[in-house]
Amino acid sequence: MASFEPPASGTPLKMGPDGKLIVPDDPIIPFVEGDGIGPDIWKASVRVFDAALEKAYGGKKKVVWHEVYAGQKAFDEFESWLPDETVEAFREYLVGIKGPLTTPIGGGIRSLNVALRQRLDLYVCLRPVRWFSGVPSPVKNPGDVDMVIFRENTEDIYAGIEFEQGSEDNAKVLAFLKEQFPQRFSKIRFPDTAGIGVKPVSQEGTARLMRAAIQYAIDHKRPTVTIVHKGNIMKFTEGAFRNWSYEVAEKEYGDHTYTWSQWERTVAAKGQEAANAEQDAAKKAGKIIVKDAIADIALQQVLTRPTDFDVIATLNLNGDYLSDALAAQVGGIGIAPGGNINYSTGHAIFEATHGTAPKYADKDMVNPSSVILSGVLMFEHLGWQEAADLIVKGIETSIENKTVTYDFHRLMEGATKVKCSEFGDKIIENMG
């Protein structure tokens, strides 16, 4: 049984009766430093966080950091990859942050990140993607990339409902399909050697994700929300996701949105010219245009027509592909932030989006920006925009000055290479 010392000071966050966070001036924030390169990047990141808070608020606001454990460090100390006490700390204090975690090999928990998301029902994976001037990019115009991905975090194939080929459970599933649904069973090309997976997509899960995406677009004055799906093939899962998303937009946000579904109905009733005029009027009125794109086309168009996308709402697997592909356009996942949020309960864990990179562990050389920018998301979530803006300013100026870690240094002409810790120093120095 793990035993974590509770913080000696600080005030827990709470959810108010209006469904909004009540943020004290000294919130207790649990953190997991992470495995591999985690300790290096956490040491740099926490200094940046504390410096930004001091500069923004002059000591009036601060975070009381509370270490909890997951991954290799938790296993070494408590013989558990994810102690119940860690989950309970995130549950009690509502908002936390973490570095990258080892995924155990073999049985047990497949992914600690997925386990945390599911146990706390963190149904939104929030992945904003933007370019910082000067960051090396493989595309011609990386500055055109400015998107926010709302990836459904608890359903789809990431639910982990799989049956291993050759197992007794797998045989039962195949026998059930053969007996009850023979036509569908016949579509399994090689049933004797096939593993089977289940892909749950619910109306409730879709609706709450879409609400979060539309509300974000309203709050941040984003002109479009794009539903990304593969509903032309998976009609009753991803196709339903598309249809349910449109229903939420029209029934719950009709005063704020105009959908392609409405456009299609107007085309059928009055013709395309009338539909185009209707959509143009909606744009002029400041309404958000809600549209959809097939996933494979979307992966092409975020490269060829990135300005067509603002907020993206999508399922778990599509969101995984899209967020990493977009991160590559703006410098890689080393500079990509992420947050896992339940907007109903207030629970949120912000995290590095990259892996543990064990070969670089304890070398003080990797880019800490993913965790630092995830901290920016966390401060924005808390309503501490001044501190968030200072950190962004520090990162922007450091990169513009070509003072960067090895990952950018090798791709930038005339750059100065600094250690992970030194990059943190530069961010603090350049906040002013």
Side-chain angles (χ1 to χ4, degrees):
M1 176 72 70
S3 178
F4 304 160
E5 288 295 326
S9 61
T11 307
L13 291 155
K14 293 182 180 179
M15 281 291 280
D18 59 354
K20 295 183 179 180
L21 276 176
I22 298 173
V23 182
D25 289 339
D26 59 344
I28 298 168
I29 302 292
F31 73 92
V32 176
E33 65 177 9
D35 297 325
I37 58 174
D40 281 349
I41 60 177
W42 177 254
K43 289 172 189 173
S45 299
V46 73
R47 288 192 298 105
V48 170
F49 300 153
D50 289 341
L53 292 171
E54 177 61 32
K55 187 170 184 62
Y57 307 117
K60 294 180 180 178
K61 295 181 180 181
K62 66 176 182 178
V63 166
V64 176
W65 301 107
H66 174 39
E67 184 172 12
V68 295
Y69 302 89
Q72 190 66 53
K73 189 172 182 178
F75 188 79
D76 291 344
E77 294 195 27
F78 307 109
E79 297 185 350
S80 171
W81 292 103
L82 182 60
D84 290 340
E85 289 81 356
T86 294
V87 179
E88 288 310 307
F90 283 126
R91 195 187 308 277
E92 178 181 356
Y93 299 116
L94 296 186
V95 173
I97 190 168
K98 56 176 281 296
L101 291 177
T102 297
T103 297
I105 297 172
I109 297 172
R110 291 187 180 184
S111 166
L112 298 171
N113 297 321
V114 171
L116 278 168
R117 294 166 191 167
Q118 291 183 344
R119 290 178 67 176
L120 293 171
D121 196 24
L122 305 175
Y123 62 85
V124 167
C125 181
L126 180 68
R127 292 287 297 270
V129 187
R130 54 157 291 191
W131 183 66
F132 288 90
S133 179
V135 172
S137 168
V139 299
K140 290 182 179 179
N141 299 303
D144 288 346
V145 178
D146 185 8
M147 307 174 204
V148 182
I149 299 171
F150 279 75
R151 167 189 169 191
E152 203 291 317
N153 226 1
T154 63
E155 298 191 315
D156 201 1
I157 59 173
Y158 284 69
I161 308 170
E162 291 190 306
F163 302 91
E164 184 180 6
Q165 181 271 330
S167 69
E168 183 179 345
D169 286 346
N170 191 61
K172 290 178 180 178
V173 172
L174 288 166
F176 171 76
L177 290 172
K178 187 175 183 179
E179 180 183 345
Q180 299 294 326
F181 304 101
Q183 286 187 321
R184 291 179 179 139
F185 176 81
S186 68
K187 295 180 180 181
I188 303 173
R189 183 74 64 182
F190 303 106
D192 292 340
T193 58
I196 301 294
V198 178
K199 179 187 176 76
V201 177
S202 70
Q203 187 170 9
E204 294 91 339
T206 298
R208 65 183 186 174
L209 177 86
M210 193 61 181
R211 290 186 193 107
I214 293 174
Q215 192 60 54
Y216 183 95
I218 293 169
D219 293 343
H220 293 82
K221 295 180 171 53
R222 293 276 185 157
T224 67
V225 174
T226 304
I227 306 158
V228 174
H229 62 93
K230 193 62 180 170
N232 57 330
I233 303 299
M234 293 171 274
K235 298 182 184 298
F236 305 128
T237 52
E238 303 221 359
F241 174 80
R242 170 194 181 272
N243 296 338
W244 291 329
S245 293
Y246 275 138
E247 285 180 14
V248 169
E250 293 179 20
K251 292 180 180 179
E252 299 184 28
Y253 293 90
D255 292 340
H256 298 279
T257 65
Y258 181 84
T259 72
W260 278 11
S261 185
Q262 289 173 275
W263 182 89
E264 289 169 347
R265 292 197 297 271
T266 303
V267 168
K270 301 179 182 179
Q272 186 166 330
E273 187 174 339
N276 289 342
E278 187 176 85
Q279 181 171 271
D280 288 342
K283 288 180 181 178
K284 289 178 182 177
K287 288 194 172 185
I288 296 162
I289 303 302
V290 180
K291 52 186 178 172
D292 71 275
I294 303 296
D296 47 333
I297 300 299
L299 281 162
Q300 173 181 290
Q301 291 181 339
V302 294
L303 278 168
T304 59
R305 295 157 52 181
T307 55
D308 285 356
F309 298 87
D310 295 294
V311 175
I312 292 173
T314 191
L315 286 164
N316 215 331
L317 182 61
N318 295 331
D320 203 352
Y321 293 153
L322 270 168
S323 55
D324 280 12
L326 282 166
Q329 292 180 235
V330 297
I333 57 175
I335 198 168
N340 304 282
I341 304 170
N342 183 317
Y343 288 96
S344 300
T345 65
H347 290 103
I349 299 177
F350 299 88
E351 64 180 358
T353 59
H354 53 70
T356 59
K359 70 177 181 179
Y360 296 117
D362 302 319
K363 293 185 178 179
D364 192 21
M365 64 183 293
V366 296
N367 190 339
S369 295
S370 181
V371 168
I372 292 174
L373 287 169
S374 296
V376 168
L377 287 183
M378 183 180 73
F379 287 148
E380 290 177 341
H381 186 71
L382 297 176
W384 291 2
Q385 191 65 49
E386 298 86 355
D389 291 343
L390 283 173
I391 296 171
V392 171
K393 174 64 175 174
I395 291 176
E396 285 178 332
T397 303
S398 300
I399 294 171
E400 288 172 357
N401 292 344
K402 294 188 175 183
T403 307
V404 292
T405 46
Y406 86 99
D407 54 328
F408 289 169
H409 174 263
R410 61 187 176 179
L411 301 172
M412 294 172 68
E413 188 175 344
T416 300
K417 183 171 69 172
V418 296
K419 298 177 180 179
C420 173
S421 56
E422 293 170 336
F423 189 64
D425 294 335
K426 289 297 177 183
I427 294 172
I428 294 169
E429 180 184 317
N430 290 320
M431 285 180 185

